[in-house]
């Protein structure tokens, strides 16, 4: 390597991995110092520090979106559980399968997608509502933009997580207590782990019978459920909300937070 | 006391360095000045992050210079302290000086 040139990988990382607006003055300063005799190690340290500082600054700017996405995605298992109960109550699954193809598949997929997308959309609207109400800075088009932007993000995440779950979770066996909520949460087949399905009668007894024997089956416990499988179910909701809110709030909230910070 | 926004120790050091450097205040000399006085390496990225915070508070302003070959064709970004920044530096100095003066009397310790 030419000693007069800084490490090309570090330069590339500096130019491409520092989030936010590009700071060419910083790139130039590091280059100037390097040419004045600073070491390669120094250049690497500075480049990595600049990336870390840039990431931290972006997180601080979008901390509200981050916190909201984390809190809202905590509710996802409870939402899926409630929807699954409604689905079971009206026996929607069986009704769909009695339809002719492709209506059976379309209705089943429609319900699956609708349930997940609706949860994200409610989150987006709730997040943007205070801004719309107080600051009047966000129009309805902005909410619409967020809602539309969430769709490709969610589908991409689903696809990625289904592939990942196939790779990492296949063959895992869970205990009896995990069966009901895990199977209920995995409405999107996000975590297709090998589980022993209880019979419909058993499910009915547990969920609707007088004696509720499984303490996991209620929305409150679903929210508090911190098992790996449940966290995995929350992940696409969290990432989708975070990406969408991050994108749509980067201009309005970002500017304000930068000033406050 | 006049209304003011508080800044941290690092931001105050940067303001003082910018004041000291005058028209030559850009990333490299500011970082060198801080390193010389603090006695340890300074991340240029953290200097810029602090300067951006100060600029957002209207305590400093910046302007781009001409690109130079030794910097890979990248321009220098010059900083200068605004009148408001200067006022707040003086205010902070006054408060800190008073506090330091009172400290030995309160504690009775050698500083």
């Amino acid at each position: 390597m030419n000693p007069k040139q800084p490490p090309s990988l570090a330069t590339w990382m500096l130019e491409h991995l520092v989030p936010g607006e590009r700071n060419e003055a910083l790139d130039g300063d590091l280059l100037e110092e390097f040419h004045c005799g600073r070491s390669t190690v120094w250049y690497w340290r500075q480049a990595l520090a600049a990336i870390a500082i840039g990431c931290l600054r972006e997180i601080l700017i979008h901390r509200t979106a981050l916190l909201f996405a984390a809190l809202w995605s905590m509710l996802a298992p409870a939402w899926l559980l409630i929807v699954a109960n409604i689905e079971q109550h009206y026996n929607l699954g069986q009704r769909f399968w009695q339809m002719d193809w492709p209506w059976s598949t379309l209705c089943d997929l429609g319900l699956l997608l609708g349930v997940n997308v609706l949860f994200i959309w409610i989150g987006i609207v709730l997040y943007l509502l205070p801004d719309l109400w107080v600051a009047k800075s966000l129009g309805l088009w902005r909410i619409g933009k967020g809602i539309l932007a969430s769709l490709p993000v969610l589908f991409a995440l689903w696809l990625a997580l289904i592939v990942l779950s196939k790779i990492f979770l296949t063959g895992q066996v869970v205990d009896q207590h995990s069966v009901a909520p895990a199977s209920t949460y995995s409405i999107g087949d996000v975590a297709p782990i090998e589980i022993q399905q209880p019979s419909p009668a058993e499910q009915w007894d547990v969920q609707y019978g007088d004696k509720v024997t499984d303490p996991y089956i209620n929305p409150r416990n679903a929210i508090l459920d911190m098992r790996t499988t449940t966290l995995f179910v929350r992940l696409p909701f969290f990432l989708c909300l975070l990406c969408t809110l991050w994108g749509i709030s980067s201009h309005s909230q970002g500017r304000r937070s930068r000033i406050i910070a | 006391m006049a209304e003011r926004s508080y800044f941290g120790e690092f931001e105050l050091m940067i303001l003082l360095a910018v004041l000291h450097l005058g028209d030559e205040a850009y990333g490299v000399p500011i970082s060198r000045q801080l390193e010389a006085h603090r006695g340890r390496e300074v991340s240029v990225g953290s200097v810029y992050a602090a300067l951006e915070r100060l600029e957002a508070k209207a305590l400093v302003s910046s302007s781009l210079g001409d690109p130079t070959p030794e910097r890979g064709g990248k321009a220098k970004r010059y900083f200068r302290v605004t009148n408001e920044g200067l006022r707040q530096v003086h205010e902070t100095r006054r408060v800190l000086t008073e506090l330091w003066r009172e400290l030995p009397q309160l504690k009775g310790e050698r500083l």
Side-chain angles (χ1 to χ4, degrees):
Chain A
M1 187 169 48
N2 184 353
K4 289 288 181 190
Q5 291 301 317
S8 53
L9 179 61
T11 305
W12 183 89
M13 287 169 70
L14 192 64
E15 288 173 354
H16 294 91
L17 299 185
V18 178
E21 289 172 21
R22 176 90 186 278
N23 190 349
E24 287 201 353
L26 170 64
D27 303 352
D29 284 350
L30 294 187
L31 203 58
E32 185 182 330
E33 281 285 73
F34 183 78
H35 287 149
C36 284
R38 297 280 195 171
S39 67
T40 305
V41 176
W42 176 89
Y43 191 87
W44 264 108
R45 265 203 311 270
Q46 292 288 334
L48 293 176
I51 293 166
I53 289 163
C55 291
L56 190 65
R57 187 187 57 198
E58 285 296 305
I59 288 170
L60 284 172
I61 287 170
H62 295 96
R63 58 187 178 274
T64 317
L66 187 71
L67 186 66
F68 183 85
L71 290 175
W72 190 249
S73 60
M74 287 291 289
L75 305 178
W79 166 262
L80 294 179
L81 183 65
I82 291 166
V83 171
N85 283 343
I86 294 168
E87 185 189 6
Q88 193 175 31
H89 184 71
Y90 292 103
N91 210 7
L92 292 178
Q94 199 176 345
R95 286 187 195 185
F96 292 155
W97 283 111
Q98 284 170 350
M99 293 176 180
D100 293 330
W101 192 88
W103 302 113
S104 56
T105 309
L106 285 175
C107 288
D108 209 30
L109 269 176
L111 178 71
L112 172 69
L113 297 179
V115 162
N116 288 275
V117 166
L118 186 64
F119 182 74
I120 298 284
W121 285 358
I122 293 171
I124 292 169
V125 171
L126 284 177
Y127 176 81
L128 294 177
L129 217 50
D131 258 2
L132 185 64
W133 196 266
V134 178
K136 311 275 185 198
S137 62
L138 293 166
L140 283 175
W141 67 272
R142 199 127 206 188
I143 292 179
K145 191 180 160 190
I147 282 171
L148 284 176
S150 67
L151 285 174
V153 178
L154 187 62
F155 293 151
L157 283 168
W158 266 347
L159 199 64
L161 285 171
I162 286 169
V163 171
L164 286 174
S165 67
K166 292 280 184 197
I167 295 169
F168 293 111
L169 294 179
T170 306
Q172 283 188 22
V173 180
V174 293
D175 56 44
Q176 183 60 34
H177 275 303
S178 310
V179 167
S183 59
T184 311
Y185 301 158
S186 61
I187 188 169
D189 200 26
V190 170
I193 49 181
E194 197 174 285
I195 51 175
Q196 194 180 0
Q197 288 286 352
S199 67
E202 282 174 332
Q203 279 189 339
W204 183 270
D205 285 346
V206 171
Q207 292 186 28
Y208 299 103
D210 292 329
K211 292 177 183 176
V212 178
T213 52
D214 193 332
Y216 288 106
I217 302 178
N218 68 63
R220 189 181 67 84
N221 286 345
I223 293 168
L224 300 174
D225 190 351
M226 290 296 159
R227 287 169 302 157
T228 313
T229 316
T230 318
L231 293 176
F232 204 70
V233 169
R234 289 187 181 105
L235 193 61
F237 293 102
F238 170 71
L239 292 175
C240 178
L241 258 180
L242 185 61
C243 291
T244 310
L245 299 181
W246 194 289
I248 58 179
S249 66
S250 59
H251 293 292
S252 54
Q253 187 194 352
R255 293 286 175 210
R256 284 203 303 276
S257 302
R258 204 171 290 183
I259 289 165
I260 291 165
Chain B
M1 197 170 81
E3 189 183 338
R4 65 188 297 269
S5 59
Y6 290 93
F7 37 75
E9 176 197 356
F10 192 62
E11 288 171 335
L12 179 60
M13 286 183 194
I14 286 177
L15 276 175
L16 293 174
V18 172
L19 279 170
H20 183 259
L21 290 163
D23 291 338
E24 284 301 310
Y26 68 97
V28 171
I30 294 172
S31 304
R32 282 182 186 165
Q33 183 108 14
L34 289 174
E35 276 185 7
H37 288 285
R38 294 175 85 201
R40 61 171 189 262
E41 191 178 298
V42 172
S43 159
V44 184
S46 66
V47 170
Y48 272 99
L51 282 165
E52 281 171 11
R53 284 198 300 273
L54 290 168
E55 196 168 17
K57 293 175 189 170
L59 301 179
V60 299
S61 61
S62 70
S63 57
L64 284 178
D66 293 325
T68 52
E70 66 268 21
R71 293 169 56 87
K74 285 158 181 128
K76 292 173 184 171
R77 189 171 166 197
Y78 290 100
F79 293 89
R80 59 177 286 274
V81 178
T82 61
N83 290 337
E84 178 60 19
L86 196 60
R87 190 185 68 78
Q88 294 207 14
V89 168
H90 283 302
E91 180 65 19
T92 303
R93 181 186 181 180
R94 186 188 65 79
V95 172
L96 287 175
T97 307
E98 282 178 14
L99 286 169
W100 277 113
R101 274 187 194 141
E102 288 170 13
L103 200 59
Q105 293 166 7
L106 285 172
K107 293 282 184 186
E109 294 172 351
R110 283 182 65 193
L111 294 173

